[in-house]
Amino acid sequence: MSSDLRIKLGRMELVNPIMAAAGCAGTGRELARFVDLARLGAVATKSVMLEPRAGRPSPRVAETPSGMLSSIGLQGPGIEVFLQRDLPWLLSRGGNAVVSIAGGSASEYAELARRLSEETGVAMIEVNLSCPNPADSGRDFTDDPAEAARVVHAVRSHTQSDIPVFAKLAPDVPDLVGLATACAEARADGLSMVNTMRGMAIDPATLRPAVAGGLAGLSGPAIRPIAVGCVYRVHAALPDVPIIGMGGVRTGTDVLEFMAAGATAVAVGTVNFADPSACARILREFEESTESRGVVRVGDLVGAAHRPHGAALGR
Amino acid sequence: MSDSGPVQMRSPVLTVRRVDAYHAITVVAPNIAERFRSGQFLAVAVGGEQSGLLLRRPFAIHDVKPDYGGTVEFLFSVRGAGTSWLAERRSRDLLDVVGPLGRPFPLPRDPVNCVLVGGGSGCAPLFPLAHALRRRGCRVDFVLGAATADRVCSAITARRVAETATFTTEDGSFGVRGRVTDPLGQVIEDARSDVAYACGPMGMLRAVTAVADAYEMPAQVSVEESMACGTGICMSCVVPVVGDDGITRMVRACVDGPVFRGERVRFDDVGTIPFDALGAPGWKAQTDGGRNAGREAG
């Protein structure tokens, strides 16, 4: 018997827990050549900012063991073009649109949220907090729970009440649970975990950083155990806050792992670069594995790793 | 998902051979072969399904044949773990390939004289282009160069396909000592070339564009920019290119290219964000001390 794949992410219902992660699916257009976007739980669009942005110099990417470092610099067309061109296209393909936003101040984030609230079809706003905060000497918003909370509060205050706001957190912060708590107290409806973590590769030929930006974001299977650990810790501390888990998902089994750690939905990121049809394959693998386990509702898998050994799984 | 775009296939290897200093792999990939237009490329997964080598390797398509429903050949040099794994493949092994990717070379409507300029393995995409041009009644002249004789690609084929084929090597071991741009002007004059097509390193493309410009002829150049996905998602292969509206944008070599009009590519600014590019920080330098460089996947 097939499992019921529907899950509830706060007030939002997804047809299944598999999402495409922000920054790893463009605005859906490129991925749509390989995956039917309407079959996914949701598609998170690449972080959009108020103005067009050229991004960082190249080289922007370096391959690392089981992962990659990237420093793209949030290149994008800005909110105007996004609303005119990209969002309507994604919606026309039946994509469930999670819009990731990025800015340099709480007011920029708030303005983006206000603009998105005026549109129909925005299913969720994801607040990318891994952005330099000029008012905090360029540290990321995630580096200071109070700053992150200020941004989340500003976004929540300027977003229609029926659109959930999720805060996206980085794993390499001094106090992850404190940061997650601060975001939840600032009325985030849920958390996306995790963003990339800072790392570096040195080009042996030049003895200079392999990525032009120097430090870059590490992603891919290399960070999966870290990401699963982050989800587990935050779910243990805040069991009522829904989590979208991500970080190195490559197979349907990885989805199970994140859900058991406490994620309600799971986003597929870096593997889309390696395998453009990965989202469809992972959904298929996940379906097969829940069916073979006799899982009735996949929602029952959430937090399974926190329950006593042998606790029933929806049988 | 569409009939015209790229497809992803697990393609059996038909042959693995050497072409001069390069390895050449031919895969059976009918869906890619039937969609292919010259100038397009493949993105090949390396290392096997459980490999820690995550990123695909992009390779220009060197040949397409109708055998077995359609085969596609690409050339490569062994440069690291990924290409070394590829070089060990044998007939009947499966390769996960995505293609055909990128914008093809635009072909002239009328029969005109075309000079095709290639550097090193950058010669690979010029061969299917030469065939396509010949089918349109165009005159084709080749200028192919490399550092050494064994890195000049498919010289015999070049001689067979083209009206003339001129070769250059930096060490003088084959053809003219020097670079492709040294004899290029003479070839253009002798052949009365109307258009140049080029593929190779950025510096070579810049030089070819300058020569074409001096003869007031257009140059179509295929850039070799490093890519992570090849499908347009990752935004890593950007190049500063001037649009029809005169505005410079950081465009993706994989989907907006790899073929561009030479005079539109800002070769001197490759690897940087020109201050006047759309969305460049320009007037306000972004100094975050590098501490937060790049961690913004989304």
Side-chain angles (χ1 to χ4, degrees), chain A residues 86-142:
Chain A
D86 297 336
L87 182 62
W89 185 91
L90 177 57
L91 298 174
S92 75
R93 289 301 182 97
N96 193 19
V98 170
V99 180
S100 170
I101 58 173
S105 66
S107 60
E108 270 183 44
Y109 281 98
E111 175 62 12
L112 286 159
R114 192 187 62 74
R115 296 285 302 274
L116 287 165
S117 273
E118 292 170 354
E119 299 293 320
T120 47
V122 176
M124 177 194 286
I125 291 176
E126 187 181 72
V127 187
N128 179 1
L129 294 166
S130 294
C131 299
N133 176 5
D136 188 18
S137 61
R139 293 198 313 155
D140 280 8
F141 288 98
T142 44

Side-chain angles (χ1 to χ4, degrees), chain A residues 69-240:
Chain A
L69 286 161
S70 62
S71 176
I72 307 300
L74 294 168
Q75 182 175 340
I79 188 75
E80 206 69 54
V81 173
F82 175 80
L83 294 179
Q84 277 171 16
R85 184 190 68 190
D86 297 336
L87 182 62
W89 185 91
L90 177 57
L91 298 174
S92 75
R93 289 301 182 97
N96 193 19
V98 170
V99 180
S100 170
I101 58 173
S105 66
S107 60
E108 270 183 44
Y109 281 98
E111 175 62 12
L112 286 159
R114 192 187 62 74
R115 296 285 302 274
L116 287 165
S117 273
E118 292 170 354
E119 299 293 320
T120 47
V122 176
M124 177 194 286
I125 291 176
E126 187 181 72
V127 187
N128 179 1
L129 294 166
S130 294
C131 299
N133 176 5
D136 188 18
S137 61
R139 293 198 313 155
D140 280 8
F141 288 98
T142 44
D143 288 335
D144 180 351
E147 285 295 312
R150 250 169 33 88
V151 171
V152 170
H153 179 75
V155 171
R156 184 63 279 176
S157 310
H158 289 78
T159 304
Q160 271 185 30
S161 59
D162 57 344
I163 301 176
V165 171
F166 272 52
K168 187 161 182 179
L169 310 183
D172 47 349
V173 295
D175 176 12
L176 179 68
V177 171
L179 175 67
T181 306
C183 290
E185 286 172 353
R187 295 195 295 135
D189 299 278
L191 303 166
S192 293
M193 298 169 51
V194 294
N195 210 323
T196 58
M197 57 194 303
R198 284 167 282 210
M200 188 185 278
I202 305 285
D203 181 339
T206 61
L207 297 183
R208 301 277 305 141
V211 174
L215 277 167
L218 180 65
S219 64
I223 71 164
R224 196 171 65 238
I226 295 164
V228 171
C230 290
V231 170
Y232 186 95
R233 283 160 56 208
V234 170
H235 183 71
L238 305 166
D240 298 328

Side-chain angles (χ1 to χ4, degrees), chain A residues 23 30 32-33 54 56 60 63 66 73-75 130 137-138 140 142 168 172 196 198 213 215 250 274-275 277, chain B residues 1 8 49 51-52 54-57 231 234-236 250 252 271 278-279 286 291-298:
Chain A
E30 295 82 7
R33 300 182 299 181
R56 287 208 171 80
R60 291 177 165 188
E63 191 178 47
S66 294
L74 294 168
Q75 182 175 340
S130 294
S137 61
D140 280 8
T142 44
K168 187 161 182 179
D172 47 349
T196 58
R198 284 167 282 210
L215 277 167
R250 196 173 186 171
D275 178 7
S277 55
Chain B
M1 302 305 295
Q8 183 175 2
E49 274 181 34
S51 169
L54 224 54
L55 303 181
R56 284 175 184 264
R57 293 351 187 212
T231 52
C234 76
M235 312 288 293
S236 69
M250 301 306 295
R252 295 162 294 178
L278 181 77
Q286 290 188 312
R291 280 176 306 147
N292 290 293
R295 196 188 61 178
E296 81 296 276

Side-chain angles (χ1 to χ4, degrees), chain B residues 169-186:
Chain B
T169 48
E170 285 175 37
D171 66 352
S173 54
F174 179 52
V176 183
R177 178 191 293 270
R179 297 185 165 183
V180 284
T181 41
D182 298 337
L184 181 57
Q186 194 60 54

Side-chain angles (χ1 to χ4, degrees), chain A residues 220-272:
Chain A
I223 71 164
R224 196 171 65 238
I226 295 164
V228 171
C230 290
V231 170
Y232 186 95
R233 283 160 56 208
V234 170
H235 183 71
L238 305 166
D240 298 328
V241 178
I243 295 172
I244 302 170
M246 67 201 76
V249 172
R250 196 173 186 171
T251 66
T253 310
D254 302 338
V255 176
L256 281 176
E257 194 180 2
F258 269 100
M259 291 184 80
T264 304
V266 178
V268 178
T270 300
V271 72
N272 290 320

